[in-house]
C-alpha cells in the first residue's frame, strides 16, 4: 500500500505449543508479507513461552497490519515492534567456512582479526570463523571473504532486545 | 470418564443442545457416547460441508456457537469449505474432527489427513489433542475462542485413542491458572477519549453516513438496538453491507439500502460524497469500496471494529475505535447525551435533499411484463407474502443472492444468512436446515439459484428425515446467472461453460424425496405458488422459472470507482474495462 518501504524488527512472545511457528509463517505466506529473517527459541521454560524475532519489510500500513495479524493469533501473548519503540540491540551469529592456501589464507585470518571473528575450526585447507554482530557487520565480513575462498555461510538470523529497563 | 464422554459432557456444559455431523471410523467412540445420552441432539447430514453450513445457519440465527462432528480424513477435508466460509463471515463454529490414533499419526494411515495443517489457514484456531489430560481445557478454550471478540471457526482434532482413554474431567470450570494462561484476550471496551472524539466528529458532520456491517449482528441484537437508537438520535443516513442487513430496520426512511457493487445508487453516492463516514463492524471489503484510490476521498472515517487487524487494512481511517459494537455504541450514546450534542440541522437538511435526488433515480426499478417472470418481481411478491411473519431467509451465491439483498427487507438482525466473504455456492440450503433446527416453528426460506442448489441438494434427504419444513425458492434461469452476466459484459458474450444442461425437473426431484414441488412459469402464477409454498406444512421446492437473461443492476463494474454505477442495461455504454479492472473478480 502507500508509503515508503520500511524495515522493522518485531519480537513476539508466544505460547510454546506445537504448530505456533507454522501459524506465524503461514500468516506471512498467506497474506504475502515479507520475512527477511526469523528466529525462534524457548525463553521461559517454566511458563512454556518462546520468543520469535522477525525482520520484515513493508509500508507503514502493512507493518501495522502485520502486527495486528500477529496479535490476533490465539497463542500469541505479546507483539513488540522494536524498530518503532526506540533504541534496541540486534545481533546475529554466523559460522563462515573459507577454503584456500597461501596469501589468501593469511589475508582471511587478518580480516577475521579486524572483525573480531574467532577461528572455531581449522584444517590445512580451511577455516571456520565465528562472528557475532549486527547484520551489517556480518554482511561486510561475508563480502570480504568472498574472494578469499568463501564456501559456506550459516547465519542465525537476527535476535533483538530493547535497550534500557523496558521488557517485552 | 473416557475422552468421548468428556466431549459430550463439555457440549452439555456449554449449553449445546444440537450438533450437526456424520459418523465414521475415527469418531465411533464419540457416536457411541452420543447414543447413550439424550441431552444433545444430532442432525445427520448427507455431506460434511453441509454440516458446517447448517451449523453456520444455526449460529447466525441464534447468536450461539454451532457445533459440528465429523470423522477423520475425508470427513475433515469435506468440512474445509464450510470452515473457510465461517472464517470469512466471522461465524462461531466448534468443529470436532476424528483423527487416527496418536501412534499412527504421520504414517499415512487409513482415513488420515493432517487436519490441523489443512485447517490452520481456514480456522480462527485449531487444536490436536494428544493427551486426554488436556481435553477438558482444550474444549473450554475452543468454545471461548470461537465466540470471543471477532467470532470464528475452531477445529478440535480428536485421535481415537484419546477418545477411548480414561481421564479426569474435573468440574467443568476453568481454573484461575488456566484463565491467566489464555493469551487471546480481545479488547471489548472502547477508549473513552476516542468515543468523545467520535461523538464530536459525528455532531459536526455536514454530510455524514453510517456504514454498518456484520460485526453489529455478531455483537448481538442489543447492538442493533443501540445502533438504531443512535442513528435515529442523529437523524443521519445509514447503509449496510451485505452481511449487515437487518441491524437497522429496512423500512425506515433513514436507511438507504445496501452499499457496494450491487448496492443502491443512493447508498454508494452518499458513501462517495460524505464528509464523515462511521463504519461499524464493517471491513471495507472490495465489494464495497470499488476502486480503492477513488473511495470516498473527501471524508473523515471513523472505524469501529472488535478486530484491530480489520482497521487500516484496505482503507486508512482517521479515528479507529477497537471494541465490541454494542459496548462502543452504548458508550457513544452516553457520550452524545452527556455532551448534549446536536446534529447540524441545516447541513443535514441539505444533505438529505441531495440523497433524495439520488433516491429518486429509483435504481432498483425493473419492468415486469405478462410473459416472463422477472426475478425482482418474484422476490417482491415473496417479501409481501412473508413480511408479516418472523421469516428467516438464507441464500446461495450469485444473482439471486443480490436480488434477495435488494428486494427483501429486514427489520431485525439474525434473519438473513448468506455467504458474503467466501461466496460459497451451496451454502443456503444446508444453512436453512440449520436455521430450521434452531427455530422449528419459523418460516425458513432458502432463496436459491438452480446451479447453487445443485451443489448441496443431497440435504433434501436430511430435511425429510428430521421433518424440517425448509422452503427452497429457486429463481431458475437455467444458467449460472452471475457468471453469465460477467461473460456478457466483460467477455464478449462468450458463455463459456455457464449453462448447465440436463437440469432435473425440480418438482419430480422434490417428490422423489417425499417433499412437495411447485412451479411458476408466468408472472400470474407467482402469488399462487408462493402461497402454496408457505401454506404447505412440510418442505417445498418452488421452481420459479425466471427471465434467463436478466442482469443485476445497479452495478459498480470491477475496477470502477464506487460512484461510477451502471444503473441498467440502457444506462450508457459499458466503458472498456481497464486491465487492472479485468483482473478483479
Amino acid at each position: 500500500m502507500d508509503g515508503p518501504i520500511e524495515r522493522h524488527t518485531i519480537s513476539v512472545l508466544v505460547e510454546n505449543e506445537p504448530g505456533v511457528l507454522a501459524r506465524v509463517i503461514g500468516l506471512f505466506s498467506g497474506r504475502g508479507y515479507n520475512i527477511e529473517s526469523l528466529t525462534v527459541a524457548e525463553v521461559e521454560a517454566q511458563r512454556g513461552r518462546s520468543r520469535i524475532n522477525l525482520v520484515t519489510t513493508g509500508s507503514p500500513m502493512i507493518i501495522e497490519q502485520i502486527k495486528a495479524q500477529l496479535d490476533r493469533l490465539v497463542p500469541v501473548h505479546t507483539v513488540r515492534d522494536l524498530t518503532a519503540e526506540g533504541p534496541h540491540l540486534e545481533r546475529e551469529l554466523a559460522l563462515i567456512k573459507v577454503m584456500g592456501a597461501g596469501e589468501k589464507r593469511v589475508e582471511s585470518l587478518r580480516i577475521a582479526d579486524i572483525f573480531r571473528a574467532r577461528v572455531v575450526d581449522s584444517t590445512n585447507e580451511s577455516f571456520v570463523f565465528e562472528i557475532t554482530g549486527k547484520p551489517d557487520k556480518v554482511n561486510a565480513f561475508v563480502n570480504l571473504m568472498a574472494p578469499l575462498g568463501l564456501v559456506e555461510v550459516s547465519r542465525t538470523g537476527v535476535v533483538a532486545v530493547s535497550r534500557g529497563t523496558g521488557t517485552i | 470418564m473416557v475422552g468421548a464422554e468428556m466431549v459430550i459432557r463439555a457440549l452439555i456444559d456449554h449449553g449445546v443442545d444440537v450438533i450437526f455431523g456424520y459418523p465414521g471410523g475415527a469418531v465411533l467412540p464419540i457416536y457411541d457416547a452420543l447414543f447413550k445420552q439424550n441431552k444433545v441432539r444430532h442432525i445427520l447430514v448427507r455431506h460434511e460441508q453441509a454440516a458446517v453450513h447448517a451449523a453456520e445457519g444455526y449460529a447466525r440465527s441464534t447468536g450461539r456457537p454451532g457445533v459440528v462432528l465429523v470423522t477423520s480424513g475425508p470427513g475433515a477435508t469435506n468440512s474445509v469449505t464450510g470452515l473457510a466460509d465461517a472464517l470469512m463471515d466471522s461465524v462461531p463454529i466448534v468443529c470436532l474432527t476424528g483423527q487416527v490414533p496418536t501412534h499412527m499419526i504421520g504414517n499415512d494411515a487409513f482415513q488420515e489427513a493432517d487436519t490441523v495443517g489443512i485447517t490452520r489457514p481456514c480456522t480462527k484456531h485449531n487444536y490436536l489433542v494428544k493427551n486426554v489430560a488436556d481435553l477438558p481445557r482444550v474444549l473450554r478454550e475452543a468454545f471461548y475462542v470461537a465466540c470471543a471478540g471477532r467470532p470464528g471457526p475452531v477445529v478440535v482434532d480428536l485421535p481415537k485413542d484419546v477418545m477411548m482413554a480414561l481421564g479426569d474431567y474435573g468440574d467443568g470450570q476453568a481454573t484461575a491458572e488456566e484463565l491467566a494462561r489464555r493469551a487471546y484476550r480481545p479488547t471489548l471496551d472502547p477508549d473513552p477519549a476516542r468515543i468523545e472524539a467520535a461523538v464530536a466528529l459525528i455532531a459536526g458532520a455536514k454530510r455524514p453516513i453510517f456504514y454498518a456491517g456484520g460485526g453489529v449482528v455478531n455483537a448481538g441484537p442489543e447492538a442493533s438496538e443501540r445502533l438504531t437508537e443512535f442513528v435515529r438520535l442523529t437523524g443521519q443516513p445509514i447503509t449496510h453491507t451485505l452481511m449487515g442487513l437487518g441491524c437497522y430496520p429496512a423500512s425506515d426512511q433513514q436507511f438507504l439500502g445496501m452499499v457496494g457493487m450491487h448496492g443502491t445508487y443512493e447508498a454508494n453516492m452518499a458513501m462517495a460524497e460524505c464528509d464523515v463516514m462511521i463504519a461499524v463492524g464493517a471491513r471495507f471489503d472490495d465489494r464495497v469500496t470499488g476502486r480503492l484510490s477513488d473511495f470516498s476521498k473527501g471524508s473523515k472515517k471513523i472505524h469501529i471494529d472488535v478486530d484491530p487487524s480489520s482497521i487500516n487494512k484496505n482503507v486508512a481511517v482517521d479515528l479507529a475505535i477497537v471494541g465490541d459494537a454494542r459496548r462502543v455504541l452504548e458508550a457513544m450514546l452516553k457520550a452524545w447525551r452527556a455532551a448534549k450534542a446536536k446534529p447540524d440541522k441545516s447541513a443535514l437538511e441539505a444533505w438529505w435533499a441531495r440523497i433524495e435526488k439520488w433516491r429518486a433515480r429509483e435504481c432498483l426499478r425493473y419492468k415486469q411484463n405478462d410473459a416472463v417472470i422477472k426475478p425482482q418481481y418474484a422476490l417482491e411478491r415473496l417479501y409481501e407474502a412473508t413480511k408479516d411473519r418472523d421469516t428467516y431467509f438464507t441464500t446461495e451465491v450469485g444473482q439471486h443472492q443480490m436480488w434477495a439483498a435488494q428486494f427483501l427487507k429486514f427489520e431485525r438482525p439474525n434473519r438473513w444468512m448468506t455467504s458474503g466473504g467466501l461466496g460459497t455456492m451451496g451454502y443456503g440450503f444446508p444453512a436453512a436446515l440449520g436455521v430450521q433446527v434452531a427455530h422449528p416453528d419459523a418460516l425458513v426460506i432458502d432463496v436459491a439459484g438452480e446451479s447453487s442448489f445443485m451443489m448441496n441438494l443431497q440435504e433434501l434427504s436430511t430435511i425429510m428425515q428430521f421433518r424440517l419444513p425448509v422452503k427452497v425458492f429457486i429463481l431458475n434461469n437455467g444458467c449460472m446467472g452471475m457468471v453469465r452476466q460477467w461473460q456478457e459484459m466483460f467477455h464478449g458474450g462468450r458463455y463459456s461453460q455457464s449453462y448447465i444442461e440436463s437440469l432435473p425437473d425440480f418438482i419430480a426431484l422434490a417428490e422423489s424425496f417425499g417433499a412437495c414441488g411447485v412451479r411458476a412459469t408466468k408472472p400470474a402464477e407467482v402469488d399462487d405458488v408462493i402461497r402454496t409454498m408457505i401454506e404447505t406444512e412440510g418442505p417445498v421446492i418452488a421452481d420459479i422459472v425466471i427471465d434467463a437473461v436478466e442482469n443485476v443492476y445497479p452495478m459498480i463494474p470491477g475496477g470502477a470507482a464506487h460512484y461510477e454505477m451502471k444503473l441498467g442495461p440502457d444506462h450508457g455504454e459499458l466503458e472498456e474495462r481497464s486491465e487492472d479492472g479485468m483482473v478483479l473478480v
Side-chain angles (χ1 to χ4, degrees):
Chain A
M1 302 246 170
D2 303 341
I5 299 299
E6 298 174 353
R7 176 179 177 278
H8 282 242
T9 303
I10 296 171
S11 286
V12 191
L13 206 56
V14 301
E15 203 64 27
N16 185 14
E17 60 178 37
V20 65
L21 188 60
R23 284 179 212 286
V24 171
I25 292 170
L27 168 64
F28 275 73
S29 64
R31 293 189 182 265
Y33 305 142
N34 299 313
I35 301 182
E36 279 197 359
S37 102
L38 183 141
T39 68
V40 56
E42 189 173 69
V43 289
E44 288 179 58
Q46 265 198 326
R47 290 210 289 173
R49 290 193 182 174
S50 294
R51 181 176 178 130
I52 297 172
N53 295 291
L54 56 90
V55 180
T56 182
T57 53
S59 67
M61 233 166 124
I62 293 287
I63 300 284
E64 283 308 311
Q65 263 297 298
I66 290 173
K67 289 187 279 186
Q69 292 288 356
L70 282 169
D71 207 26
R72 75 175 186 152
L73 291 179
V74 169
V76 166
H77 284 278
T78 320
V79 178
R80 283 272 187 276
D81 183 346
L82 297 176
T83 305
E85 287 178 12
H88 65 280
L89 297 166
E90 290 185 14
R91 290 292 179 272
E92 201 180 354
L93 185 144
L95 296 173
I96 290 155
K97 189 175 283 185
V98 178
M99 286 178 73
E103 192 49 39
K104 283 188 176 175
R105 185 170 159 83
V106 178
E107 179 66 7
S108 70
L109 258 186
R110 242 170 37 81
I111 292 172
D113 193 42
I114 296 167
F115 276 77
R116 298 206 171 88
R118 293 198 301 140
V119 177
V120 288
D121 179 68
S122 170
T123 68
N124 285 336
E125 298 91 42
S126 70
F127 289 123
V128 175
F129 297 112
E130 174 194 311
I131 182 170
T132 332
K134 291 182 187 172
D136 283 354
K137 177 182 164 186
V138 178
N139 289 344
F141 185 68
V142 170
N143 288 340
L144 285 170
M145 287 299 125
L148 302 176
L150 177 80
V151 289
E152 193 172 339
V153 180
S154 179
R155 299 171 71 148
T156 57
V158 173
V159 293
V161 74
S162 63
R163 284 184 184 271
T165 53
T167 58
I168 190 163
Chain B
M1 199 185 290
V2 297
E5 291 164 336
M6 289 186 194
V7 169
I8 303 300
R9 179 68 195 280
L11 295 180
I12 295 166
D13 284 354
H14 285 90
V16 176
D17 54 7
V18 62
I19 63 176
F20 302 89
Y22 203 103
V27 280
L28 283 177
I30 305 177
Y31 274 87
D32 206 37
L34 197 63
F35 189 83
K36 294 174 187 160
Q37 56 83 51
N38 55 14
K39 289 198 171 124
V40 180
R41 200 173 155 218
H42 180 273
I43 303 294
L44 175 66
V45 295
R46 301 299 185 262
H47 187 289
E48 289 88 348
Q49 183 196 349
V52 187
H53 292 326
E56 287 185 273
Y58 178 92
R60 288 185 46 194
S61 65
T62 61
R64 297 199 298 270
V67 180
V68 177
L69 175 58
V70 298
T71 195
S72 63
T77 56
N78 275 347
S79 69
V80 164
T81 300
L83 295 169
D85 190 90
L87 183 68
M88 285 286 255
D89 286 344
S90 309
V91 188
I93 298 289
V94 173
C95 179
L96 308 168
T97 56
Q99 183 55 279
V100 301
T102 47
H103 67 271
M104 291 178 82
I105 289 177
N107 282 355
D108 300 327
F110 177 64
Q111 291 198 328
E112 183 187 355
D114 175 10
T115 301
V116 286
I118 290 169
T119 61
R120 197 175 287 127
C122 61
T123 52
K124 186 172 172 187
H125 195 55
N126 61 17
Y127 302 87
L128 168 62
V129 185
K130 284 187 160 173
N131 189 332
V132 72
D134 297 330
L135 185 59
R137 174 186 60 83
V138 168
L139 290 168
R140 275 193 291 276
E141 241 184 68
F143 277 93
Y144 165 72
V145 170
C147 301
R150 180 176 178 177
V154 175
V155 161
V156 186
D157 202 22
L158 302 166
K160 194 171 181 181
D161 56 331
V162 175
M163 290 300 94
M164 300 178 79
L166 268 170
D168 180 14
Y169 182 74
D171 62 357
Q173 300 297 315
T175 60
E177 191 197 357
E178 179 185 324
L179 292 175
R181 270 189 83 102
R182 277 184 189 166
Y184 182 68
R185 290 191 196 132
T187 304
L188 301 178
D189 285 313
D191 172 0
R194 285 167 187 255
I195 295 291
E196 277 176 33
V199 163
L201 207 53
I202 296 167
K206 302 204 178 307
R207 302 184 310 280
I209 184 154
F210 281 82
Y211 149 52
V216 179
V217 181
N218 278 338
E222 270 182 66
S224 296
E225 285 166 27
R226 295 294 87 75
L227 175 74
T228 305
E229 196 179 340
F230 190 57
V231 170
R232 286 194 174 142
L233 202 60
T234 62
Q236 297 174 349
I238 177 166
T239 180
H240 285 334
T241 67
L242 178 67
M243 300 304 292
L245 297 176
C247 70
Y248 186 90
S251 58
D252 194 283
Q253 268 300 304
Q254 280 170 256
F255 182 59
L256 305 188
M258 183 173 72
V259 71
M261 185 174 273
H262 295 296
T264 66
Y265 183 64
E266 52 270 32
N268 282 309
M269 290 307 287
M271 289 281 277
E273 298 285 317
C274 67
D275 72 337
V276 174
M277 182 185 294
I278 309 109
V280 194
R283 58 186 178 89
F284 295 91
D285 179 83
D286 56 75
R287 297 285 112 149
V288 165
T289 61
R291 187 165 66 232
L292 265 180
S293 55
D294 285 309
F295 176 69
S296 194
K297 285 199 284 200
S299 62
K300 292 251 186 233
K301 297 174 188 75
I302 302 169
H303 191 176
I304 299 161
D305 208 297
V306 76
D307 177 8
S309 76
S310 277
I311 296 172
N312 289 326
K313 183 173 66 180
N314 303 327
V315 173
V317 298
D318 302 275
L319 180 58
I321 300 176
V322 176
D324 170 74
R326 176 182 60 81
R327 298 192 198 194
V328 173
L329 289 160
E330 271 169 10
M332 281 170 70
L333 272 164
K334 221 169 144 189
W336 180 275
R337 286 178 176 135
K340 297 197 168 54
K342 292 249 168 358
D344 184 337
K345 251 197 162 162
S346 64
L348 261 187
E349 267 172 33
W351 178 227
W352 273 112
R354 284 182 72 189
I355 291 171
E356 291 307 334
K357 272 189 193 157
W358 293 322
R359 211 179 231 169
R361 300 282 291 264
E362 294 181 350
C363 66
L364 297 179
R365 203 175 24 180
Y366 64 94
K367 285 187 205 120
Q368 178 60 63
N369 56 31
D370 297 338
V372 196
I373 303 169
K374 291 284 183 185
Q376 301 95 325
Y377 173 75
L379 284 165
E380 270 190 337
R381 299 313 300 161
L382 181 64
Y383 172 68
E384 284 302 318
T386 55
K387 67 179 183 185
D388 297 326
R389 333 163 151 240
D390 196 8
T391 311
Y392 294 79
F393 284 99
T394 70
T395 77
E396 310 288 341
V397 169
Q399 286 186 318
H400 68 275
Q401 177 190 28
M402 293 297 109
W403 284 316
Q406 291 172 338
F407 287 90
L408 301 174
K409 298 186 182 76
F410 296 91
E411 303 297 305
R412 274 183 288 178
N414 305 104
R415 301 301 191 277
W416 164 250
M417 274 59 56
T418 193
S419 173
L422 196 66
T424 310
M425 290 173 69
Y427 165 89
F429 184 40
L433 177 171
V435 174
Q436 190 81 70
V437 167
H439 309 276
D441 302 323
L443 177 60
V444 181
I445 302 174
D446 170 31
V447 175
E450 80 295 333
S451 306
S452 286
F453 180 64
M454 296 279 286
M455 282 205 182
N456 265 325
L457 62 76
Q458 77 283 347
E459 298 307 317
L460 279 167
S461 176
T462 309
I463 62 170
M464 295 313 293
Q465 179 178 345
F466 293 92
R467 299 175 195 282
L468 301 168
V470 171
K471 318 294 182 193
V472 186
F473 192 75
I474 300 177
L475 296 174
N476 186 350
N477 56 6
C479 65
M480 295 161 214
M482 194 58 94
V483 174
R484 202 207 65 86
Q485 176 168 345
W486 280 50
Q487 287 173 334
E488 177 190 319
M489 289 178 158
F490 311 123
H491 294 275
R494 294 177 293 280
Y495 300 117
S496 179
Q497 302 296 318
S498 49
Y499 279 78
I500 292 185
E501 283 183 27
S502 309
L503 282 168
D505 171 345
F506 286 105
I507 294 178
L509 179 75
E511 286 170 353
S512 76
F513 282 90
C516 166
V518 281
R519 179 176 295 129
T521 54
K522 295 208 163 45
E525 298 164 357
V526 169
D527 281 343
D528 273 350
V529 162
I530 290 172
R531 193 176 316 116
T532 309
M533 179 183 88
I534 294 171
E535 285 171 4
T536 302
E537 275 188 14
V540 180
I541 297 179
D543 182 19
I544 313 295
V545 180
I546 59 159
D547 185 348
V549 293
E550 184 69 15
N551 287 334
V552 182
Y553 291 106
M555 179 176 186
I556 305 170
H562 61 155
Y563 47 80
E564 295 170 339
M565 289 204 95
K566 191 168 155 62
L567 292 185
D570 331 315
H571 179 229
E573 279 301 299
L574 199 64
E575 277 176 44
E576 194 68 24
R577 278 177 103 197
S578 66
E579 246 175 71
D580 289 348
M582 280 299 281
V583 299
L584 298 175
V585 286

